[in-house]
């Protein structure tokens, strides 16, 4: 596969599932970008996120597998207990390196690896969450020419994560949107790039 | 040239220097994981650019060991994924027990928590005395910690819970004694263990093994090196021997994966076919 387009990433924690449903449910089945992200989860116990998210999405949703290559219009979620990293050929690498911000998977390792591998092809979405994970990775993405869409903290169940990202980002790499406007924005950007 | 491409050139040059000067070849490690470790290495040495490390890499004594330690950050715990140890105890050890001598090769032992966990299972199943656990790693500093068998006491509560879920028959504290803020693993466990330096990328078969534990090692490699390692493991196993991988790892990168069949597919416990091997 020689996909050369944008890659959409997301990060969230507390309140993340509801935010993810609002962002991804409206995307059409022919949405052109591959999507991957991290929602903080407990390492032990049942992992329902792919199913809960998949039920309300037109896109196929699944746990990311080791060395699996991202496909356009598919949505992948980091499995519990592993950091998710992205290689230049859009394949995933997993890692059991130390927790970051008390979590594994964490958002920073995914964002940082994508920034280093893919540079300006990265579009990241930072949603509701109760700690500052993702901010450092978002800054790295911005430094390498990628775009960071941040949920307006006023519309987030937990404002700390989007607020932390906002504090390290500047225009034009930073786009702040209320939750319900993120999906339309992604659709128009995706259609633009596609056409 | 874009910044991400310049960084890629720097990494290529650094890895080439490491390979030519010291014979350690990291070119087939997962680039994304390696990049993260290399950033940690830069922070550790307080250098802005990776190539600032080259003069030291060429001529400074002890530099190689520090670099290898930074590139293989040990992260492990006792009875990690307890359900795996429970399955080994219930399904694999009863078969292993019939061998007069049991060799276990534990690859990527880091600081040894997993090797000690195995030794405890073998002790509780009554076969520690016939068992030899070879635990190998590329990181000599981690191996020294493993050999000393001394772990922080603050981790023991979590390890005890893992031990219980892994079907532990007594208490974890039966296998160690506490000194202030550390615990030291008991001598009988340590007698069954050998810790040794081994580089999966370059070295050959380490021993003839009845069980190989190689968990969360392959995820740090690319598919080429994964395939090579699985071939090496295949070569080291006796017929009917067992292989245990990490929960997110598969044998997809190995061309002769059909030589194995899954004993517990979800737990990544495989057995090498003893006859009628598919070619």
């Amino acid at each position: 596969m020689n996909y050369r387009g944008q890659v959409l990433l997301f990060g969230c924690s507390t309140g993340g599932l509801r935010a993810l449903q609002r962002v991804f449910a409206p995307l059409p089945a022919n949405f052109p970008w591959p999507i991957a992200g991290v929602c903080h989860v407990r390492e032990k116990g049942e992992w329902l996120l792919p199913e809960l998210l998949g039920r309300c999405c037109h896109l196929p949703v699944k746990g990311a597998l080791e060395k699996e290559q991202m496909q356009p219009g598919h949505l992948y979620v980091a499995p519990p207990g592993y950091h998710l990293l992205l290689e230049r050929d859009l394949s995933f690498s997993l890692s059991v390196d130390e927790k970051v911000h008390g979590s594994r998977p964490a958002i920073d390792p995914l964002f940082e690896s994508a920034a280093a591998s893919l540079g300006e092809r990265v579009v990241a979405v930072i949603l509701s969450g109760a700690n500052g994970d993702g901010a450092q990775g978002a800054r790295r993405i911005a430094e390498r020419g990628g775009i960071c869409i941040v949920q307006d903290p006023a519309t987030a169940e937990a404002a700390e994560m989007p607020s932390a990202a906002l504090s390290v980002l500047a225009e034009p790499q930073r786009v702040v949107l209320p939750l319900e406007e993120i999906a339309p924005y992604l659709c128009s950007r995706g259609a633009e790039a596609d056409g | 040239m874009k910044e991400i491409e310049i960084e890629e050139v720097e990494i290529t040059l650094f890895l080439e220097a490491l390979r030519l000067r010291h014979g350690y070849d990291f070119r087939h490690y997962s680039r994304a994981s390696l990049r993260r470790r290399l950033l940690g290495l830069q922070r550790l040495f307080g250098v802005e650019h990776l190539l600032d490390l080259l003069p030291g890499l060429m001529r400074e004594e002890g530099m190689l060991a520090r670099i290898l330690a930074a590139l293989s950050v040990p992260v492990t715990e006792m009875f990690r994924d307890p359900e795996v140890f429970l399955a080994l105890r219930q399904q694999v050890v009863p078969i292993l027990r019939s061998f007069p001598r049991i060799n276990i090769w534990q690859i990527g032992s880091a600081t040894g928590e997993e090797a000690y966990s195995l030794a405890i299972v073998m002790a509780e199943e009554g076969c520690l005395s016939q068992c030899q656990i070879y635990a190998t790693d590329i990181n000599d500093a981690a191996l020294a910690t493993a050999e000393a068998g001394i772990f922080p006491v603050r981790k023991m509560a979590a390890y005890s819970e893992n031990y219980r879920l892994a079907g532990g028959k007594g208490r974890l504290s039966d296998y160690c004694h506490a000194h202030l803020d550390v615990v030291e693993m008991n001598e009988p466990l340590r007698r069954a263990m050998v810790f040794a330096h081994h580089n999966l990328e370059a070295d050959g078969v380490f021993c003839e093994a009845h069980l190989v534990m190689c968990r969360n090692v392959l995820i740090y490699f690319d598919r080429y090196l994964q395939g090579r390692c699985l071939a090496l493991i295949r070569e080291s196993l006796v017929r009917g021997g067992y292989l245990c991988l990490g929960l997110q790892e598969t044998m997809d990168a190995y061309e002769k994966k059909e030589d194995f069949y899954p004993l517990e597919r979800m737990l990544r416990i495989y057995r090498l076919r003893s006859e009628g091997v598919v070619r």
Side-chain angles (χ1 to χ4, degrees), chain B residues 10 51 63 95 157 163 169 181 193 196 207 214 224 247 270:
Chain B
E10 286 178 310
L51 296 185
M63 184 78 164
I95 309 294
Y163 165 77
K169 291 180 173 173
D181 56 349
M193 301 158 83
C207 60
C214 184
Y224 164 82
L247 293 182
Y270 304 88

Side-chain angles (χ1 to χ4, degrees), chain A residues 44 66-67 79 82 85-88 93-98 100 109 112 115-117 120 144, chain B residues 2-4 7-8 30-33 35-37 39 75 80 162 216 219-222 226 247-248:
Chain A
K44 285 160 190 160
E66 217 279 310
K67 296 294 181 283
Y82 293 80
L85 307 175
L86 198 49
E87 306 276 358
R88 296 192 116 182
S93 283
L94 299 176
S95 130
V96 289
D97 283 7
E98 290 290 358
V100 175
E112 288 168 16
S117 299
E120 64 200 25
R144 298 288 181 266
Chain B
K2 288 181 204 160
E3 182 60 29
I4 60 170
E7 284 171 1
E8 213 53 30
S30 144
R31 197 42 82 90
S33 284
R35 221 183 264 123
R36 204 172 164 72
R37 298 276 175 88
L39 277 175
V75 185
R80 184 190 174 105
N162 282 354
N216 296 322
I219 51 174
Y220 291 100
F221 299 160
D222 71 7
Q226 289 179 353
L247 293 182
Q248 292 287 338

